[in-house]
Amino acid sequence: MSERRISATTVRAVASLCTVVVLAATAGGARANERSAFLWSQGLEEFRAGGDGYRTALSLFDRAVESDPTDVDARYYRGVTRARLGDLDGAAEDLGRVLRERPGFDRAALELGIVEVEQGRYTDALVPLHQARQAAPLAASASFYIGLAELHLGWLDPAR
């Protein structure tokens, strides 16, 4: 019996395709177009690699948003990637739009709150951070940033 090897590129392509299929099956009413979904799933692979992968991921997320400006997932990941790369204004713009289009997206609320804290907009950070704190998996991170914002605002008792 001969042994067949599958290249890493093939594995990544199959993983990306599976991601797109799962997302399309679970997305509900608001679906991104296929090109956008494919591009942001590719971008997600690069994002997960971190480091230099963020720049490649950003390019893919940019193309996904260009392909479908209503794709909330592509815009979310673009916003998070922009934040990781230090483009806080761009990140705030993307994450704010995501929350306007999908108000219950708690992870986007957390990311926006963090960006607002990093920009020194502590009062603006509190609303999305309080939203994120309501989601159990995000509560600890959101609470940390709420405390940090309150500390910077001079609200020492609540910050404790």
Side-chain angles (χ1 to χ4, degrees), residues 5-23:
R5 294 190 180 243
I6 299 173
S7 73
T9 302
T10 302
V11 170
R12 281 193 298 272
V14 170
S16 293
L17 180 61
C18 289
T19 301
V20 170
V21 169
V22 168
L23 291 168

Side-chain angles (χ1 to χ4, degrees), residues 148-159:
L148 189 59
E150 290 171 340
L151 181 65
H152 281 283
L153 289 167
W155 303 350
L156 301 182
D157 286 336

Side-chain angles (χ1 to χ4, degrees), residues 76 80 95 104-112 131-132 137-138:
Y76 165 76
V80 172
L95 294 167
F105 195 164
D106 296 330
R107 190 159 296 281
L110 175 63
E111 294 292 340
L112 178 59
Q131 174 184 333
L138 308 177

Side-chain angles (χ1 to χ4, degrees), residues 98-160:
V98 165
L99 282 174
R100 285 190 299 279
E101 293 180 21
R102 194 184 296 165
F105 195 164
D106 296 330
R107 190 159 296 281
L110 175 63
E111 294 292 340
L112 178 59
I114 292 170
V115 166
E116 298 285 13
V117 167
E118 289 177 355
Q119 290 186 302
R121 295 195 304 245
Y122 306 114
T123 304
D124 293 339
L126 292 174
V127 171
L129 289 172
H130 279 286
Q131 174 184 333
R133 188 165 63 180
Q134 300 308 306
L138 308 177
S141 294
S143 293
F144 172 80
Y145 283 97
I146 289 169
L148 189 59
E150 290 171 340
L151 181 65
H152 281 283
L153 289 167
W155 303 350
L156 301 182
D157 286 336
R160 283 193 230 320

Side-chain angles (χ1 to χ4, degrees), residues 33 35-40 42 56-69 71 74 78:
N33 71 37
R35 177 155 174 73
S36 178
F38 178 75
L39 287 166
W40 78 254
Q42 293 271 308
T56 304
L58 182 58
S59 174
L60 289 161
F61 296 142
D62 283 341
R63 290 171 47 204
V65 170
E66 182 180 302
S67 175
D68 183 355
D71 185 342
R78 184 173 78 172

